[in-house]
Amino acid sequence: MTTGPMKTGSMTTGSMTVAYLVNTAPVTSSTFIRREMAALEAQGVTVRRFALRRWHQPLVDPGDVADQARTHYILSGNLRGLALAALRQAVIGPAAFARGAWLAARLGRSAGGAVRHAAYFLEAVYFLRALRREGIAHTHVHFSSNAAAVALIARTMGGPSYSFTAHGPDEFLTAAEDGLALKLSGAAFAVAISDFCRGQLLRFGGAQHRDRIAVARCGLDLEDFVPSERPAGESRTLICVGRLCPQKGQVYLPAAVAALRATEAPFRLVLIGDGESRPAIEAEIARHGVGDLIELRGWRSSAEVRTAIAESRALVLPSFAEGLPIVLLEALALERPVVTTTVAGIPELVDDRCGRIVPPGDAAALTGALRDILRADDATLAAMGRVGRARVARHHDLTTLATTLRGLFAAAIAREGKAEVRMKRAVMGREAAEMES
């Protein structure tokens, strides 16, 4: 689960309270964060949920609805609270207030967003007060974007240590402008979800931080993903799950379906998800005349997604940009082959033993891969499924991920405690020297 120089050791941790901070939560496409927090709680870690803003789309999963009620929102509907927190900090801690404001201005200059980073500063001041009030020892952030900036500013003002998990791909597109190097240098550690992601952190954050970057791959609880007794070969349904957006490339699927229609036995494609690419996908469906073969279902709950994948022949995800899609893990865990692309961390998970992997944007290769899956016999599909599930079990176990993170959090908190002890001893030493003189 964890690779690279960073080690967690065999530390036994007691009770600890950590904050999880994200930009927007809960979001239908980020169920993996909810699962991660629940796995940590199962190991005795108290997790306080924070988000900068509320997601205003309807939530379809009961778990997301429950998590929303447990989340403390910093920005949404809280302008008065932000202003009062800033005023209080300026009065009782003017030096810390000045340090935070200076850092926010520095980040704003590098990212070309002074107004945006002024907002991050106010959010950080409010967040800092909440951290102190709840006795939180460490903050963990998902994605190295604006929430990481808030955690960094809070840290600069005297808040607890922080860390972040980097996923990609979007956060690496503006890494230099968004101050990734500063965020990494201020963090107790960083987590990369793949070897590819670790390379991007080193590229943009600096190789000097390599010993503080751990590879901890996103995980699943395999008990929640029990393979169907129905062989994949009995189904003629291909399924695609994910936000409908340019990065995931669903707009190119109607052409592939049209190309296969004439030569393959009847089949259909189901798309679960929604997003800005929906009108373009609908236009392509109409242009290629495959409305009878493609169904757009919109967002569905986690349970409904699992059922749909289990009832499918294979999952297809023709992405142009990714981190490492969780839905690929889910499909493989359910012993269903996947057809996807050679993007970012995907080749670390998928090869031709558990599906088909093609260059992004290669229409002929995508069509050929889908043809292979549609023509494969039961034994071939079953063998792919077994390989895929074994690979997820070996590298993407949720309990192992939680254990790794718990150890990293505990180590960061312990280092913080030792630093405080050293600082107090230094102060006492100076005071004693002054008394003697």
Side-chain angles (χ1 to χ4, degrees), residues 219-292:
L220 293 182
D221 184 347
L222 287 182
E223 293 183 2
D224 291 337
F225 293 85
V226 179
S228 171
E229 296 181 0
R230 176 185 179 185
E234 290 186 5
S235 174
R236 299 295 295 175
T237 298
L238 303 173
I239 189 163
C240 178
V241 181
R243 185 165 61 91
L244 304 184
C245 60
Q247 296 96 317
K248 293 190 181 291
Q250 300 102 327
V251 73
Y252 296 97
L253 287 172
V257 170
L260 293 167
R261 179 174 209 157
T263 61
E264 305 309 311
F267 70 97
R268 68 187 189 119
L269 171 68
V270 173
L271 278 74
I272 293 180
D274 214 332
E276 63 268 33
S277 288
R278 184 173 187 130
I281 295 169
E282 290 173 336
E284 283 296 290
I285 291 172
R287 186 165 78 89
H288 290 283
V290 289
D292 58 325

Side-chain angles (χ1 to χ4, degrees), residues 183-231:
K183 295 169 185 175
L184 183 56
S185 65
F189 64 90
V191 172
I193 65 165
S194 66
D195 294 326
F196 174 87
C197 183
R198 183 173 188 269
Q200 296 301 296
L201 284 174
L202 291 172
R203 173 189 176 190
F204 293 109
Q208 69 271 24
H209 300 303
R210 59 184 175 275
D211 291 340
R212 293 191 296 115
I213 301 174
V215 175
R217 304 175 194 275
C218 297
L220 293 182
D221 184 347
L222 287 182
E223 293 183 2
D224 291 337
F225 293 85
V226 179
S228 171
E229 296 181 0
R230 176 185 179 185

